[in-house]
């Protein structure tokens, strides 16, 4: 198996980074490589998977601790197998899962203090999508969004026990959630500990479960939120509502709600940053003689003068009529396309032939082209 990149390197943080720094780095990387923003990009898709795997490890205190000690071998028993010797990054002979697996094999449990399964843990984040129109993105909008989240059960206040009852201390582990055992091994007597099987490592037993949450202490609820989407927001950006994610475990805080913005395509306009682009058809006479035309913008119709002799494909800029940015507003940029008439009458064709005869030698672009062609084929 090829060596994997270091999790901290993938997220672009130092080994001593805090949970908030790791979460912030993950969001930045996940947005950068998200498949919706990189369609048909296999490299971005692989990077997105790599970022998610790194965050899954570093956001879990227990996995992070094992990874810091033993690398990928501490979190993936299959990593390093079949490479011989020490099995790559932390494997040990036939024990591809690293030293943690060796102690489990010899002693039947975790070595040393182990993790505290009853410690408060923050709830997971929730991601939803808000679909808005081009104009709503340009000028801002208030949206009511619906989503589901896991909340602390209001019936039992998170205890998992039915009203009028309380969880009881587990008689097997005496509330610690861990069972310690002394075992004889090839290295001598060793103290090991493992999660209590009677209470599932919780330290408490619920004899009469709460009917509202089936003894889980948490339940899924439908929620609504009124969201202020600011003007100028762009496609693929995220808004964050702290504490609106899933409930934490063991009294831990709620996670966050992340709202991804998806802007519907517009019939006329396209956008690059704060600038708005569109294409305008003009007729042959307007292009030749010049004209004042009505240009559609997100701020309404604006009159703009087209100079005589305008060529098809020429772009014009209307300053400050784009989308709001940090300082001022972007511009409105429109390109004119000369609409060549079809299905001409005999009279119209005769008039155009007369015009062509009078215009002989006045078409500089055409004359220059034929001059170059003559030089090539001399």
């Amino acid at each position: 198996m090829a060596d994997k990149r270091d999790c901290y390197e993938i997220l672009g943080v130092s080994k001593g980074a805090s949970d908030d720094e790791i979460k912030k780095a993950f969001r930045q990387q996940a947005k950068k490589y998200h498949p919706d923003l990189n369609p048909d990009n296999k490299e971005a898709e692989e990077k997105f998977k790599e970022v998610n795997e790194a965050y899954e490890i570093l956001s879990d205190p227990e996995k992070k601790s094992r990874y810091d000690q033993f690398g990928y071998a501490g979190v993936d028993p299959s990593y390093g197998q079949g490479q011989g010797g020490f099995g790559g990054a932390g494997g040990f002979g036939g024990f591809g899962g690293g030293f943690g697996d060796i102690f489990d094999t010899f002693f039947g449990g975790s070595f040393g203090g182990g993790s505290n399964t009853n410690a408060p843990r923050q709830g997971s984040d929730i991601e939803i999508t808000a679909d808005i129109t081009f104009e709503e993105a340009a000028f801002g909008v208030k949206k009511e969004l619906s989503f589901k989240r896991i909340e602390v059960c209001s019936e039992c206040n998170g205890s998992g026990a039915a009203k009028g009852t309380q969880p009881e201390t587990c008689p097997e582990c005496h509330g610690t959630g861990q069972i310690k055992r002394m075992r004889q091994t090839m290295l001598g007597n060793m103290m090991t500990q493992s999660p209590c099987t009677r209470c599932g490592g919780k330290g408490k037993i619920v004899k009469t479960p709460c009917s509202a949450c089936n003894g889980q202490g948490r339940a899924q609820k439908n929620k609504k939120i009124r969201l202020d989407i600011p003007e100028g927001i762009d496609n693929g950006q995220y808004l964050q509502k702290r504490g609106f994610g899933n409930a934490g475990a063991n009294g831990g805080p709620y996670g966050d709600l992340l709202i991804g913005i998806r802007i519907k395509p517009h019939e006329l306009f396209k956008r690059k940053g704060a600038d708005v682009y569109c294409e305008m058809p003009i007729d042959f006479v307007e292009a030749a003689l010049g004209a004042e035309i009505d240009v559609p913008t997100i701020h309404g119709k604006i009159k703009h003068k087209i100079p005589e002799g305008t060529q098809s494909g020429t772009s014009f800029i209307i300053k400050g009529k784009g989308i709001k940015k940090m300082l001022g507003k972007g511009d409105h940029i429109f390109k004119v396309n000369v609409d060549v008439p079809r299905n001409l009458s005999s009279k119209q064709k005769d008039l155009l032939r007369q015009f062509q005869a009078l215009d002989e030698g006045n078409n500089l672009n055409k004359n220059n082209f034929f001059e170059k062609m003559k030089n090539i084929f001399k």
Side-chain angles (χ1 to χ4, degrees):
M1 177 184 287
D3 288 342
K4 292 184 177 183
R5 288 173 63 207
D6 177 67
C7 285
Y8 294 99
E9 180 189 339
I10 292 168
L11 296 182
V13 295
S14 64
K15 194 168 183 179
S18 66
D19 291 344
D20 283 344
E21 288 172 331
I22 290 171
K23 182 184 286 188
K24 184 178 179 181
F26 163 70
R27 287 175 183 154
Q28 290 173 343
Q29 295 293 327
K31 290 174 194 174
K32 182 177 178 181
Y33 297 115
H34 198 284
D36 288 348
L37 301 179
N38 299 275
D40 302 322
N41 187 332
K42 291 295 182 185
E43 184 180 353
E45 185 179 335
E46 290 305 315
K47 294 268 189 189
F48 185 72
K49 292 177 182 176
E50 189 179 47
V51 166
N52 274 285
E53 182 184 20
Y55 182 66
E56 184 184 356
I57 292 169
L58 298 185
S59 64
D60 185 311
E62 188 176 342
K63 287 183 180 180
K64 183 174 180 289
S65 176
R66 295 203 303 268
Y67 176 78
D68 288 344
Q69 293 180 69
F70 311 116
Y72 280 104
V75 293
D76 182 2
S78 66
Y79 186 77
Q81 289 186 3
Q83 295 183 19
F86 284 85
F92 189 76
F95 300 97
F99 289 104
D101 284 347
I102 296 169
F103 281 112
D104 284 349
T105 303
F106 284 159
F107 314 135
S110 62
F111 179 70
S115 61
N116 182 4
T117 56
N118 293 318
R121 295 196 301 276
Q122 183 172 356
S124 58
D125 295 339
I126 299 171
E127 284 198 35
I128 61 174
T129 301
D131 289 308
I132 60 175
T133 66
F134 194 95
E135 288 84 359
E136 287 172 339
F139 298 111
V141 67
K142 294 182 185 295
K143 284 277 184 183
E144 187 173 77
L145 303 174
S146 300
F147 63 100
K148 292 181 179 181
R149 75 167 184 173
I150 297 170
E151 297 184 348
V152 173
C153 178
S154 57
E155 289 293 314
C156 64
N157 293 321
S159 71
K163 277 188 176 180
T165 68
Q166 291 292 329
E168 298 179 5
T169 300
C170 175
E172 188 75 22
C173 65
H174 306 292
T176 65
Q178 301 286 326
I179 299 294
K180 294 183 178 180
R181 294 185 178 89
M182 184 69 74
R183 298 201 176 194
Q184 270 194 331
T185 72
M186 60 192 298
L187 302 178
N189 290 335
M190 302 289 281
M191 178 70 75
T192 67
Q193 67 178 29
S194 57
C196 174
T197 55
R198 184 162 181 179
C199 66
K202 295 180 179 178
K204 294 185 180 296
I205 294 174
V206 176
K207 289 193 172 179
T208 310
C210 169
S211 59
C213 64
N214 295 320
Q216 298 301 308
R218 299 184 297 171
Q220 192 176 71
K221 301 286 185 181
N222 293 320
K223 299 292 290 184
K224 287 186 178 180
I225 186 172
R226 187 79 172 170
L227 185 69
D228 286 330
I229 298 178
E231 60 181 305
I233 198 162
D234 210 344
N235 196 54
Q237 288 186 325
Y238 278 79
L239 298 175
Q240 180 182 17
K241 297 291 286 184
R242 289 194 174 275
F244 280 77
N246 289 318
N250 305 321
Y254 277 77
D256 299 332
L257 176 66
L258 304 175
I259 305 102
I261 300 299
R262 187 164 57 194
I263 302 174
K264 299 172 186 174
H266 196 277
E267 287 182 344
L268 291 180
F269 304 132
K270 293 186 183 297
R271 174 180 177 180
K272 289 182 184 177
D275 295 332
V276 178
Y277 292 76
C278 77
E279 295 190 6
M280 280 282 299
I282 60 174
D283 62 40
F284 172 76
V285 176
E286 289 173 325
L289 302 181
E292 189 175 66
I293 62 173
D294 287 328
V295 180
T297 75
I298 60 172
H299 301 281
K301 289 181 181 178
I302 294 177
K303 290 194 177 295
H304 192 86
K305 212 166 187 179
I306 302 294
E308 63 179 79
T310 293
Q311 301 297 304
S312 188
T314 302
S315 291
F316 298 90
I317 299 175
I318 304 178
K319 290 286 186 183
K321 293 302 179 181
I323 293 169
K324 181 181 177 182
K325 53 185 178 181
M326 191 168 291
L327 294 174
K329 287 182 180 176
D331 301 326
H332 184 91
I333 301 159
F334 69 96
K335 182 172 75 173
V336 295
N337 295 317
V338 178
D339 195 3
V340 178
R342 297 181 179 87
N343 304 319
L344 297 174
S345 67
S346 297
K347 186 175 181 180
Q348 288 172 319
K349 290 177 183 178
D350 288 338
L351 288 171
L352 283 174
R353 289 189 187 101
Q354 292 174 40
F355 169 79
Q356 187 180 34
L358 291 170
D359 194 48
E360 191 68 38
N362 194 36
N363 194 324
L364 294 178
N365 289 335
K366 185 176 178 183
N367 293 338
N368 287 336
F369 174 80
F370 282 112
E371 190 63 36
K372 289 175 184 177
M373 194 168 73
K374 265 197 273 183
N375 292 334
I376 292 172
F377 292 103
K378 266 184 181 179

